[in-house]
Amino acid sequence: MKVCILSGGTGAPKLIQGLKEILPEEDISVIVNTGEDTMVGDLYLSPDIDTVLYTLSNQINEDTWYGVKEDTFITHNTIKEFESKEDSTFGENLRIGDKDRALKMHKTHYINKGYPLSKIIKMEKELFGIKANIFPMTDNNVKTKILINENLPNNFQGKLSDRSEASIPKSEICELPNGSNKYLIDFHDFWINRRGNANVIDIFYENSNYAGAPREALASIKNSDIIIIGPSNPITSIAPILSIRDIRDTIIESNKPVVAVSPIVGDGAVSGPAGTLMKAKGYPVSAEGVYKFYNDLAININTMILDNSDKSRIKNIELELNNSNIIYTNTIMKTIDTIAELKNHLHAFKTAGKSIGFVPTMGALHDGHLSLVKAAKAHNDLVVVSIFVNPIQFNNADDLKKYPRTIEADSALLQGLCDIIFYPSVEEMYPEKVTKE
């Protein structure tokens, strides 16, 4: 079975990683968002393309789903040392590893020589020994732009606030009645420099009306047996791809079955700013909102894959698709059962300065536990919930034996609320036999 996947840079690559285990790699084609491509210093960055390349070549850093696993950061750290000594900036707010930088330098070299991006990607996938097909959505310059509304100081002279070094042409600023301003910024500025802290009004795909798709990408749609819309951000990962008329029309005209995996669980995005951006586009933050968004783009969704926890929430999609075309499964959340693996996962987040919330439990979760998890989610970048029935907390062996172990029910309750469940065995936590006197 040949599949064509529409992919952004986080959710969909996880799906691709799984498909790679069950399908011949040469039967997989991926059309990737390039609306977030940008220049950082002298480097050309194509973040979603690189993540797909690293995923298919088994190099991806699974802790962050960006960059190369076990990469070093000598160059980046040296740049930061220079910045501190010179009181200046290179504008490299994204932490780029040394191996990852080499791939970006490769792209930049050939971009400067006038090579189309699709040709460069073909060269890179061959360098990595990848058999799957990887295509950019376009070889043209299409940019995802975020329209924001922000109060600016009275002495504003055409620069952003001190949260970013990027300049904004005065032509992109217009006064609002309340004295604030609205203007367009690149997605990189919105998500990396500002960490998503902005009042978003709308999202645009600059130049998409004039852009075309690579012929090979269109052929991959026509030759596929099924088209999968990956669980990436609908607004800034998938919509830029569908904003290319060639791609959208080819999907519609091909009449191939389209399967969409929702990146929304309950009323929250699994990761990233999808919730904020869907609201800005006027859609509810829900699986139903995702379905309606694609439907409004004239994409006929034949099957939707939703998380188990959405079974009791879904109403309108069932009326549109019928229950037979909805598949419920465990779509998110990683369960880890060893201390070493947990340490490895958390190391990258700590190194990147991310905050981690930890909620220890013995399982059999109730509303009190969930309120703690929700509080941790509201104040941290990553949330870990441990489920461990600790034998040393029981005086009576019968009480320990009778204590409920409800990992499946607990996992369902935690869907959309935490990122990692730490579920170790007694032997893992206590390598030597534990007794309590």
Side-chain angles (χ1 to χ4, degrees), residues 193-377:
N193 296 340
R194 294 163 173 265
R195 298 181 179 272
N197 294 318
N199 181 17
V200 179
I201 301 171
D202 207 344
I203 301 92
F204 300 95
Y205 314 107
E206 189 176 74
N207 298 326
S208 64
N209 286 341
Y210 311 102
R215 289 194 303 271
E216 296 88 346
L218 300 178
S220 74
I221 296 171
K222 295 174 183 177
N223 296 331
S224 67
D225 297 305
I226 188 171
I227 298 164
I228 301 176
I229 300 179
S232 296
N233 187 325
I235 309 299
T236 55
S237 292
I238 303 300
I241 302 174
L242 296 175
S243 75
I244 308 300
R245 186 172 300 174
D246 289 348
I247 293 176
R248 187 174 66 251
D249 289 349
T250 302
I251 291 173
I252 295 169
E253 293 167 5
S254 73
N255 203 31
K256 298 293 174 65
V258 178
V259 175
V261 184
S262 176
I264 305 293
V265 174
D267 56 1
V270 174
S271 63
T276 297
L277 300 176
M278 287 188 69
K279 287 178 183 178
K281 276 292 189 184
Y283 291 89
V285 184
S286 65
E288 291 172 283
V290 173
Y291 172 80
K292 188 174 189 307
F293 178 70
Y294 293 142
N295 190 60
D296 287 348
L297 292 174
I299 301 300
N300 180 31
I301 304 297
N302 302 99
T303 301
M304 281 205 74
I305 298 178
L306 309 179
D307 192 78
N308 284 326
S309 63
D310 274 325
K311 283 184 179 179
S312 62
R313 298 186 179 102
I314 300 306
K315 301 294 181 185
N316 296 333
I317 300 180
E318 292 180 349
L319 295 176
E320 296 279 351
L321 289 177
N322 299 320
N323 288 329
S324 61
N325 291 328
I326 297 179
I327 297 173
Y328 293 100
T329 187
N330 184 5
T331 62
I332 62 167
M333 198 166 58
K334 189 173 186 68
T335 300
I336 293 174
D337 58 10
T338 69
I339 296 171
E341 187 180 358
L342 182 63
K343 284 182 176 179
N344 288 336
H345 271 78
L346 299 185
H347 176 72
F349 287 91
K350 291 179 180 178
T351 304
K354 302 289 187 181
S355 60
I356 300 169
F358 179 67
V359 181
T361 80
M362 292 206 304
L365 302 182
H366 51 68
D367 288 344
H369 293 115
L370 299 182
S371 66
L372 293 175
V373 178
K374 290 175 182 177
K377 184 177 179 65

Side-chain angles (χ1 to χ4, degrees), residues 117-231:
L117 185 59
S118 57
K119 184 174 182 179
I120 300 170
I121 293 167
K122 185 177 181 180
M123 294 164 61
E124 291 175 344
K125 87 178 191 73
E126 290 174 355
L127 286 172
F128 287 154
I130 296 170
K131 296 178 182 178
N133 299 303
I134 306 171
F135 309 107
M137 66 186 195
T138 182
D139 282 323
N140 304 118
N141 186 21
V142 173
K143 296 283 188 184
T144 297
K145 296 282 188 175
I146 312 296
L147 183 65
I148 67 172
N149 180 358
E150 183 175 274
N151 292 318
L152 298 174
N154 294 329
N155 61 351
F156 179 73
Q157 296 296 321
K159 296 283 185 179
L160 284 174
S161 65
D162 59 5
R163 286 178 294 176
S164 171
E165 297 79 17
S167 62
I168 292 290
K170 290 185 177 180
S171 62
E172 291 189 1
I173 302 167
C174 59
E175 296 292 333
L176 295 175
N178 62 3
S180 61
N181 298 277
K182 63 179 181 180
Y183 48 89
L184 288 169
I185 60 174
D186 288 341
F187 182 84
H188 183 86
D189 183 18
F190 166 73
W191 189 236
I192 302 301
N193 296 340
R194 294 163 173 265
R195 298 181 179 272
N197 294 318
N199 181 17
V200 179
I201 301 171
D202 207 344
I203 301 92
F204 300 95
Y205 314 107
E206 189 176 74
N207 298 326
S208 64
N209 286 341
Y210 311 102
R215 289 194 303 271
E216 296 88 346
L218 300 178
S220 74
I221 296 171
K222 295 174 183 177
N223 296 331
S224 67
D225 297 305
I226 188 171
I227 298 164
I228 301 176
I229 300 179

Side-chain angles (χ1 to χ4, degrees), residues 62-113:
E62 292 185 30
D63 294 327
T64 59
W65 284 90
Y66 181 85
V68 180
K69 60 185 176 184
E70 299 179 357
D71 207 347
T72 56
F73 294 87
I74 296 170
T75 306
H76 176 81
N77 293 338
T78 303
I79 287 172
K80 290 303 174 184
E81 289 177 13
F82 290 167
E83 288 180 344
S84 63
K85 291 177 180 178
E86 295 180 346
D87 193 26
S88 63
T89 179
F90 285 72
E92 188 170 297
N93 293 330
L94 181 66
R95 195 165 177 264
I96 301 172
D98 297 317
K99 291 181 181 179
D100 188 24
R101 189 180 300 273
L103 182 64
K104 290 167 172 45
M105 290 174 67
H106 181 271
K107 271 193 191 63
T108 304
H109 172 75
Y110 285 102
I111 286 285
N112 290 339
K113 292 186 72 170

